[in-house]
Amino acid sequence: AETSARRCAAAELIMANAPAKEGLKVLQGLLKADDRPLRNAALTAATDAYGVAAVAPVLTGRFAKLGAGAKTDIVNWLGARKQGLDLVLTQLDEPEELGETAIRAAGQIGGPAACQALIELLGFSRAPLALNALKSFQGDLSAPVLAALDAPMNDTQLNNLMAIASAKEIKAAAPVVLAAAGKGSADAAAAPRGGGGPGGAGPGAA
């Protein structure tokens, strides 16, 4: 712990004093470290020193070459700063912490694409995470929720769409919900999605 703290302090000192080109190269190297406090200290220091606009392209550009831990830290960083939605959405089905962090990040970033991707998760094993992310959305979700209610769905997705309609006070959903409940759910079961893909629910599944 003491060694890690010293390394974090060194990273912060470098970022505070090095030119952007040099400091961002150091950041790239530190993202490979098997030390989460160090990675996050470097991310924070680089952001403070060089700004989000300079750091974000470095993170997205190096993302594919990094391990799951570093990818998780980056996705968390992107969500908190509302950056890199396209990359975040590619991680929604990843196993364990990475996929779970991507769901939360999509909720933080927001926008139509994130909304649609999260709605599609509402019938699967990570539905509770997607539901919480959608509840945190800013703005009107009426159109996508009503569209989802008009499509085939399983019981899990119907229940979660009803929860969102209630939380967001989407009054127009009431007759659609009643009609959907009367028709019954689609034949498709709430298949596991995320944490291992269609073959099975991952450790992070609800």
Side-chain angles (χ1 to χ4, degrees):
E2 183 178 348
T3 299
S4 179
R6 287 199 299 268
R7 295 176 73 189
C8 290
E12 292 165 356
L13 184 61
I14 291 171
M15 303 299 174
N17 293 281
K21 184 176 181 179
E22 179 182 337
L24 292 173
K25 284 185 177 180
V26 172
L27 173 62
Q28 291 179 34
L30 292 177
L31 288 172
K32 300 176 184 178
D34 188 21
D35 183 338
R36 172 160 284 174
L38 175 59
R39 292 194 304 264
N40 284 311
L43 281 168
T44 299
T47 305
D48 290 344
Y50 313 123
V52 170
V55 174
V58 173
L59 303 183
T60 56
R62 300 292 295 179
F63 189 84
K65 299 179 180 179
L66 298 171
K71 287 180 177 180
T72 299
D73 295 340
I74 289 173
V75 167
N76 186 59
W77 186 96
L78 292 169
R81 291 159 182 84
K82 302 185 183 302
Q83 300 287 315
L85 177 61
D86 289 345
L87 185 151
V88 168
L89 294 182
T90 67
Q91 304 302 301
L92 293 179
D93 286 334
E94 290 299 312
E96 302 180 1
E97 186 184 17
L98 177 53
E100 294 169 3
T101 301
I103 291 172
R104 287 189 288 268
Q108 289 175 299
I109 297 169
C115 179
Q116 185 58 43
L118 292 171
I119 284 176
E120 290 173 3
L121 290 174
L122 289 177
F124 297 90
S125 57
R126 283 178 171 162
L129 286 171
L131 178 61
N132 286 336
L134 284 164
K135 285 181 176 179
S136 72
F137 254 59
Q138 302 298 313
D140 186 6
L141 297 183
S142 297
V145 168
L146 291 172
L149 283 167
D150 196 41
M153 72 191 85
N154 58 43
D155 287 336
T156 300
Q157 189 172 18
L158 174 59
N159 290 338
N160 285 317
L161 287 168
M162 290 169 60
I164 293 172
S166 175
K168 294 295 185 179
E169 299 182 349
I170 304 175
K171 296 179 180 178
V176 184
V177 168
L178 290 174
K183 289 188 298 184
S185 62
D187 290 337
R193 177 178 169 188

